[in-house]
Amino acid sequence: MRLEVAIEAKAFRSPSGGLHQALGRLAFGVPEGEVAAIVGPSGCGKTTLMRLIAGLDRDYDGRVTLRPGDRLGVAFQEPRLLPWRTAEDNVRIAAPNATEAALGVLFQRFGLSEHRRHLPGELSLGLARRVSLARALAVEPDLLLLDEPFASLDGATRASLVEAVAEIVACRGMATLLITHDIDAAIRLADTIYALSPRPATIVRRVRIDAPRSRMSPQAAAALAREIGAPP
Amino acid sequence: MGLNLAWRLLSLALLLLCWQIASTASGGNNLPAPWEVLQRIGQEARSGALVHHMAITLGRVVAAFVIAMALGSAIGYAMGRNLLADRLGDPWLVLLLNLPALVIIVLAYIWIGLNEVAAIGAVALNKLPNAIVSLREGAKALDPQYDELAEVFSLPAWTRLRHILAPQLAPYFAASARSGLSLVWKIVLVVELMGRSNGIGFQMNVAFQLFDMTLLLAYALPFVGVMLAIEFLLVQPFERRVSRWRPRAA
């Protein structure tokens, strides 16, 4: 396992002093070379879960285990690019050891070759997302965390980005955790899908996708989406 | 731009005209004519005295400015990031902000002696609290999102400083540098007047003792000119450079 999550509970203290349970008991793992997707209604604590796994919030009960020395690649929900550096520099700063050729391939695959010299303020949200994804992949991560990488994009942009990520994840073979409310993207990308309940989030369903995903028929995918999205 | 420059030149010409009229009206003793001052500047420049004193004063300005900005940035950053440092340091800061420049200068000369260390130290200490306040604001405004970014990508300290901290602090640093430079060069003259035997401030003192208005203006005006040149050629371009990435306001 590249990542093992065994969370007992995570609560936030509100300004008024009350405790709000964000996460309940959650246990799952992501093995080498597989893609796991966490899907759930918005506000169910998906981003909270991502922050715990990324090590940005250590105040919780339970354990998140990464392999020591593993490199992490993260694409945040907002692209979080440094606005004072160009698209290319944003990637290079995170991945100083990436070769020119590797960066060239990434920029090419995400359709960013013409935007290398642009500042993030000059990019659309879709392009900024691509830069953020390119940055997460440029570090050649052992574990890739993607938080809603396809949110608020129009249909065509979203579809092309899903395909680009699917292709790169398949050929690199790193462990990937995709957090999304987009069940279709989860079906397209994941080997295992975990559906979360509303707050406090627990796993209500685990769906293993064994069929080669790119060859799954649209009907089968739609049926699966209904199954995952259905109330428990 | 061209029109703007034309207005500025016209304004400057008007100032010179007023100066000439005032000089003629007052008989020329208390206010020498522009031409006389210019001749005196030429004399002092040829003898090398003007350059000598100017270089010494500029050296003090640079030394005091660098010390104040470096210390002020470090302390301001620490206070902006650390609540304990802020709480402990704040009363000292308020005290220092409200201590008149003259008090600091006199104390420095008495305690340390009439030497270069006291002179530059006193000037730096006058500028220090402003730099601290400005950089503390900058450090408080740092966006935690970028800290998290640095955290998940395990960026080394130097990369964080150069690509994440410095660009966010630069506007505060630039504003502080700009106000700081004008503060420092004014106080340097006072320090020189009170306790040094060279520099523009010392020459002001000589001119004052002799009631030599031409000498006074012959040293004051070129020095102001040099400081304005530094402001326009160094400080303002730096300010523009660090905010280049911001989308232009429409």
Side-chain angles (χ1 to χ4, degrees):
Chain A
M1 290 284 167
R2 278 290 176 180
L3 168 69
E4 267 177 283
V5 175
I7 290 166
E8 297 298 324
K10 162 73 189 170
F12 285 107
R13 195 166 287 283
S14 74
S16 56
L19 270 182
H20 292 268
Q21 289 295 329
L23 301 176
R25 180 167 298 176
L26 277 169
F28 64 93
V30 184
E32 178 85 55
E34 288 209 357
V35 180
I38 302 277
V39 298
S42 55
C44 78
K46 295 192 296 289
T47 295
T48 304
L49 176 62
M50 211 271 317
R51 294 175 54 80
L52 302 194
I53 294 170
L56 295 174
D57 187 343
R58 301 184 193 276
D59 179 25
Y60 61 93
D61 297 326
R63 243 167 355 118
V64 170
T65 318
L66 274 68
R67 274 212 215 152
D70 265 10
R71 231 183 323 214
L72 203 59
V74 179
F76 293 95
Q77 190 166 352
E78 6 35 277
R80 239 182 250 206
L81 303 175
L82 302 174
W84 41 83
R85 295 287 183 264
T86 61
E88 179 171 350
D89 286 344
N90 263 283
V91 176
R92 282 185 187 278
I93 287 165
N97 300 325
T99 62
E100 188 59 47
L103 286 185
V105 170
L106 266 179
F107 281 118
Q108 181 79 41
R109 188 62 197 85
F110 281 114
L112 289 168
S113 301
E114 278 138 52
H115 302 287
R116 285 182 168 219
R117 303 252 154 260
H118 288 173
L119 289 169
E122 300 166 317
L123 301 175
S124 65
L125 176 64
L127 284 170
R129 277 268 168 72
R130 286 158 193 252
V131 177
S132 165
L133 283 166
R135 178 175 63 187
L137 288 161
V139 302
E140 308 220 315
D142 302 296
L143 176 63
L144 178 66
L145 297 179
L146 306 175
D147 187 8
E148 297 282 8
F150 315 115
S152 23
L153 298 179
D154 64 72
T157 313
R158 178 186 152 282
S160 78
L161 204 51
V162 171
E163 287 318 305
V165 172
E167 188 181 300
I168 289 171
V169 165
C171 83
R172 293 271 181 91
M174 76 282 268
T176 303
L177 182 66
L178 168 69
I179 289 177
T180 184
H181 68 270
D182 183 341
I183 294 173
D184 296 329
I187 291 172
R188 175 69 188 87
L189 287 168
D191 298 291
T192 311
I193 298 179
Y194 298 94
L196 298 190
S197 67
R199 216 166 236 248
T202 52
I203 293 172
V204 292
R205 188 169 284 130
R206 174 180 183 278
V207 178
R208 181 80 196 162
I209 301 177
D210 290 316
R213 282 156 281 142
S214 50
R215 273 182 269 143
M216 189 184 284
S217 73
Q219 290 81 1
L224 196 55
R226 274 196 301 278
E227 189 201 324
I228 295 165
Chain B
M1 190 66 202
L3 198 66
N4 201 350
L5 188 69
W7 279 109
R8 275 172 191 273
L9 287 175
L10 181 69
S11 166
L12 206 60
L14 260 169
L15 179 69
L16 283 174
L17 185 68
C18 290
W19 178 358
Q20 180 66 54
I21 291 169
S23 161
T24 314
S26 70
N29 271 337
N30 284 330
L31 184 60
W35 175 242
E36 285 175 52
V37 173
L38 191 65
Q39 276 184 320
R40 189 64 180 269
I41 291 174
Q43 272 175 27
E44 295 291 325
R46 274 193 299 278
S47 77
L50 180 64
V51 176
H52 169 72
H53 291 294
M54 184 104 83
I56 283 173
T57 301
L58 270 179
R60 288 183 185 131
V61 167
V62 170
F65 178 77
V66 169
I67 292 171
M69 289 307 294
L71 270 180
S73 301
I75 297 172
Y77 178 78
M79 287 176 73
R81 292 287 253 190
N82 185 311
L83 194 61
L84 182 68
D86 196 24
R87 285 193 177 144
L88 281 178
D90 195 59
W92 295 33
L93 188 60
V94 173
L95 178 75
L96 208 53
L97 271 169
N98 289 289
L99 211 54
L102 209 52
V103 175
I104 295 178
I105 295 167
V106 172
L107 286 179
Y109 275 146
I110 292 175
W111 287 341
I112 303 174
L114 288 171
N115 54 42
E116 215 57 50
V117 175
I120 292 171
V123 178
L125 200 57
N126 269 299
K127 165 60 191 159
L128 185 69
N130 304 63
I132 292 176
V133 168
S134 179
L135 268 292
R136 178 175 64 174
E137 286 315 304
K140 281 184 177 168
L142 287 173
D143 192 335
Q145 285 204 351
Y146 301 125
D147 291 338
E148 293 185 353
L149 185 71
E151 179 78 25
V152 298
F153 284 105
S154 315
L155 299 184
W158 170 244
T159 307
R160 287 184 197 215
L161 179 68
R162 187 167 155 219
H163 297 293
I164 294 182
L165 287 180
Q168 290 185 82
L169 293 176
Y172 296 87
F173 187 87
S176 173
R178 198 170 165 183
S179 72
L181 194 65
S182 60
L183 185 72
V184 163
W185 73 259
K186 283 166 194 162
I187 298 176
V188 162
L189 295 200
V190 179
V191 169
E192 289 177 343
L193 183 139
M194 291 181 62
R196 305 308 302 141
S197 52
N198 46 29
I200 304 289
F202 169 75
Q203 287 298 96
M204 298 285 103
N205 198 11
V206 171
F208 177 55
Q209 304 293 338
L210 303 172
F211 266 69
D212 187 343
M213 282 300 290
T214 320
L215 182 68
L216 198 146
L217 289 173
Y219 275 88
L221 293 183
F223 186 66
V224 172
V226 168
M227 295 321 293
L228 282 179
I230 291 177
E231 162 85 24
F232 284 121
L233 300 178
L234 287 177
V235 179
Q236 287 192 9
F238 172 71
E239 229 174 340
R240 275 197 296 277
R241 205 185 124 85
V242 297
S243 56
R244 207 174 28 180
W245 59 271
R246 278 173 212 280
R248 298 274 171 280

